[in-house]
Amino acid sequence: MGYLGMELKKAHFWKGILLLLITFLLIFAQFPEAVEKYYSSGFYPFFGKYLRLLTIWCPVSIGDMLYLVAIFYIIFISIKILYIGCRFRRWPTLKKFLFATFLWLVIGYAFFKLCWGLNYNRRDIGYSMGITAVPYTIPELKLLNAQLIQRLNEARKKIPGDSLPTVSWEEQKQLAIDAYTTLAIKNSRFTYAYPSIKKCSWNFWGDWIGFTGYYNPFSGEAQVKADLPGILQPYITCHEIGHQIGFAREREASFVGFLAASASQDIRLKYSLYLDIFSLVQQELWRQYAAVGDSSGLRIQLDSNRKQLDTLVKLDRRAIRRYFQQRSHQITPAFTQVYTQYLKANGQPAGMLSYNEVLGWILGYQKKYGDNSW
């Protein structure tokens, strides 16, 4: 057999291995109990820990650099394919490029599922914690709304200053890490070793795409948009750490972040948590009142909120709204739709509303442990 024949044989061998791997992953993903036992509670905690160890040393986001390289590579390949196809009409060569591109996409998908993506297929968090997410209605949301107003007012009174509270980058990272350390004492499944939390290198991407943070499954880094109002960052960091330790669905990462923030004794982290959850409650109240066509009930609720919220809390929320309004772009809804389809493809049929579903877990947690459990 000549050299060319040997090379072709090797290529077919590796294509066969890749096909078998993808087939195994697709079949394995259909068995949540097996994924939970062997991947999410077995392989991933070990793998994720040492993936973070590989990136913790670098002060900038390695994941952001990888994405930038991938974007430039895709642009280069696209131009090359168009040039070859349109300029020289070399369609066999074009087909080879398209097939090679497809292979790289398949390899990327397999790598994604192995590195982290199989966590989308695990059992939900209630399976191991004995909690059932409560399907919430307007009355349940109103009770949670009243609780949060009280907690927001009490927390804000303990934070000095009349302007929007700030937390430095290093402080907010440490607050989140300490919160998980405390939480892990109660439940070791939330152990967070080798913290790798990075500033997003391209904050303007967040403005255009509409994210506040994200987890990079290829580098193991939690990314936080560092130009956000400082008081928002501690809870967002807790959410992203939730992804890091293996909770892929948004509602569950938010719930794990909620558990960590609740375990903290730092009032700034608790205030960060309350602000976020209160905003989700407002979104759901708008949606629920709209669904039943009760605009007067919504107006009454909003008026009640304005009367009960502390003046400083209202000023803080106004400053936060102003921040996001100044950075909103017309292109953001387009990216939101793309991300919505990604969420739906990964077992989150509610799309962007998956973030709001954490409220059902919070209500379920309260039902089991009591209103003062957090």
Side-chain angles (χ1 to χ4, degrees), residues 295-313:
S295 58
S296 62
L298 178 59
R299 283 196 298 271
I300 291 170
Q301 182 63 58
L302 293 176
D303 287 340
S304 175
N305 286 352
R306 280 191 287 268
K307 290 175 183 175
Q308 294 182 67
L309 281 170
D310 182 84
T311 301
L312 289 179
V313 176

Side-chain angles (χ1 to χ4, degrees), residues 219-354:
S219 65
E221 297 164 306
Q223 321 278 342
V224 178
K225 193 168 177 288
D227 66 342
L228 289 167
I231 196 61
L232 298 181
Q233 293 179 29
Y235 177 64
I236 291 171
T237 304
C238 286
H239 172 100
E240 299 306 331
I241 292 174
H243 284 314
Q244 277 187 305
I245 62 175
F247 296 92
R249 300 183 193 101
E250 297 302 335
R251 62 180 178 267
E252 294 184 21
S254 291
F255 183 61
V256 174
F258 157 82
L259 293 174
S262 299
S264 173
Q265 297 302 311
D266 193 284
I267 198 63
R268 294 168 299 174
L269 178 49
K270 287 185 176 292
Y271 188 56
S272 181
L273 167 67
Y274 301 152
L275 284 170
D276 193 283
I277 302 302
F278 185 70
S279 293
L280 294 182
V281 171
Q282 302 319 298
Q283 292 172 22
E284 281 300 298
L285 281 170
W286 274 81
R287 196 169 69 86
Q288 297 268 357
Y289 275 115
V292 297
D294 188 3
S295 58
S296 62
L298 178 59
R299 283 196 298 271
I300 291 170
Q301 182 63 58
L302 293 176
D303 287 340
S304 175
N305 286 352
R306 280 191 287 268
K307 290 175 183 175
Q308 294 182 67
L309 281 170
D310 182 84
T311 301
L312 289 179
V313 176
K314 287 188 285 188
L315 289 173
D316 290 346
R317 281 174 47 79
R318 195 174 302 154
I320 291 167
R321 283 197 302 271
R322 192 181 308 119
Y323 167 87
F324 285 106
Q325 287 167 356
Q326 291 171 349
R327 287 161 176 78
S328 63
H329 295 279
Q330 291 183 348
I331 199 170
T332 300
F335 282 106
T336 299
Q337 284 303 313
V338 171
Y339 187 54
T340 294
Q341 296 309 312
Y342 166 82
L343 293 174
K344 289 181 178 180
N346 285 285
Q348 297 165 94
M352 292 298 289
L353 290 176
S354 299

Side-chain angles (χ1 to χ4, degrees), residues 51-59 62 194-198 221:
L51 182 61
R52 293 193 296 274
L53 184 60
L54 290 175
T55 59
I56 194 174
W57 59 271
C58 186
I62 294 174
Y194 305 126
S196 183
I197 305 164
K198 308 288 181 68
E221 297 164 306

Side-chain angles (χ1 to χ4, degrees), residues 72-92:
F72 279 117
Y73 178 75
I74 290 169
I75 293 171
F76 170 74
I77 288 296
S78 300
I79 293 172
K80 192 169 183 177
I81 288 172
L82 289 172
Y83 182 74
I84 291 172
C86 299
R87 173 79 175 178
F88 298 106
R89 307 291 180 183
R90 291 165 58 184
W91 300 117

